[in-house]
Amino acid sequence: DFLGLLKLWYYLEELGDELSSSALRRRMKAEYLNFVRWREWQDLVRQLREVTRPLGIDTSRREGGAADPDAVHRALLTGLLSHLGIRDELKRDYLGARGTRFRIFPGSALAKQQPDAVMAAELVETSQLFARTVARIDPAWAEAAAGDLVKRRYAEPHWERKQGQAVASETATLYGVPIVRNRRVGFAKVDPAWSRDLF
């Protein structure tokens, strides 16, 4: 859904270059697009470019105009960490932050695909809680982006003879959403004394 908005932006930029202002306004009205909202988008992009220019951030459009979908979604995820959802196959919905449960809005491009993990721009409650403007993500991205917000729990520490070290099963959660389950990790970094006792 986010990439659809990006494509719409590129399309409107091209139209703006080709058509006069009044022709563009008529064309957008015919295609059920809001001209004033597009002008607001332009103002926001201009302001962001002015802010990022002194920082040395390149905001020019890449050759060919195609953005890397993973890069776009990773960038957005840093601001949408609390709108993350993991698919629950039994209940056929998504487990979100702080125990919320939601479904993907039926008008979304991902509504029929039902990916394992999603992020949403907004959660809207009508007859039920729906995630609108969603994207499929890899939960590992959330772990990297969240940093210290990730809570880690360790279970079943034991000595692994083949590896020659104490290992445990790690579960990482972000606002109560399990983003990593049962990952085997070295236990010595977590609790060196207990690891020594296991040895």
Side-chain angles (χ1 to χ4, degrees):
D1 294 344
F2 292 102
L3 295 176
L5 292 173
L6 186 60
K7 287 179 181 178
L8 177 62
W9 171 258
Y10 290 156
Y11 169 70
L12 292 175
E13 271 189 328
E14 289 173 9
L15 279 182
D17 292 341
E18 295 171 5
L19 302 174
S20 67
S21 181
S22 58
L24 177 62
R25 188 182 295 262
R26 284 192 304 272
R27 176 81 171 264
M28 289 180 71
K29 185 175 181 180
E31 295 180 5
Y32 301 101
L33 298 170
N34 190 320
F35 182 79
V36 175
R37 179 62 52 93
W38 181 62
R39 288 292 191 207
E40 290 171 359
W41 281 12
Q42 285 183 313
D43 288 342
L44 178 63
V45 169
R46 182 185 46 77
Q47 290 168 10
L48 288 171
R49 284 185 177 144
E50 287 176 8
V51 169
T52 57
R53 189 176 301 123
L55 301 173
I57 298 173
D58 179 24
T59 59
S60 61
R61 187 171 169 184
R62 302 287 183 267
E63 203 52 44
D68 177 26
D70 287 352
V72 170
H73 292 145
R74 282 180 176 210
L76 291 169
L77 181 61
T78 58
L80 297 173
L81 289 172
S82 62
H83 288 164
L84 186 72
I86 302 294
R87 177 91 173 136
D88 185 344
E89 288 297 331
L90 295 175
K91 296 188 178 181
R92 295 184 167 197
D93 62 2
Y94 288 85
L95 173 64
R98 297 169 193 87
T100 59
R101 295 202 161 272
F102 61 85
R103 295 181 187 274
I104 296 177
F105 186 70
S108 169
L110 293 178
K112 292 184 180 176
Q113 296 175 11
Q114 299 295 311
D116 293 335
V118 296
M119 71 171 171
E122 60 184 346
L123 297 174
V124 178
E125 189 162 359
T126 54
S127 60
Q128 55 189 306
L129 191 60
F130 284 111
R132 292 191 4 188
T133 313
V134 297
R136 174 187 323 227
I137 61 158
D138 180 354
W141 300 347
E143 183 180 17
D148 292 337
L149 295 173
V150 175
K151 305 290 185 215
R152 301 176 192 284
R153 288 184 321 206
Y154 301 93
E156 303 173 10
H158 63 279
W159 182 258
E160 189 68 46
R161 187 175 300 203
K162 288 182 181 178
Q163 291 183 358
Q165 68 174 341
V167 296
S169 177
E170 178 185 49
T171 300
T173 60
L174 176 63
Y175 300 122
V177 178
I179 53 177
V180 174
R181 292 184 181 169
N182 301 325
R183 176 170 54 196
R184 288 172 49 110
V185 294
F187 196 58
K189 292 181 181 177
V190 178
D191 193 335
W194 194 354
S195 295
R196 178 74 179 163
D197 288 344
L198 289 170
F199 170 67

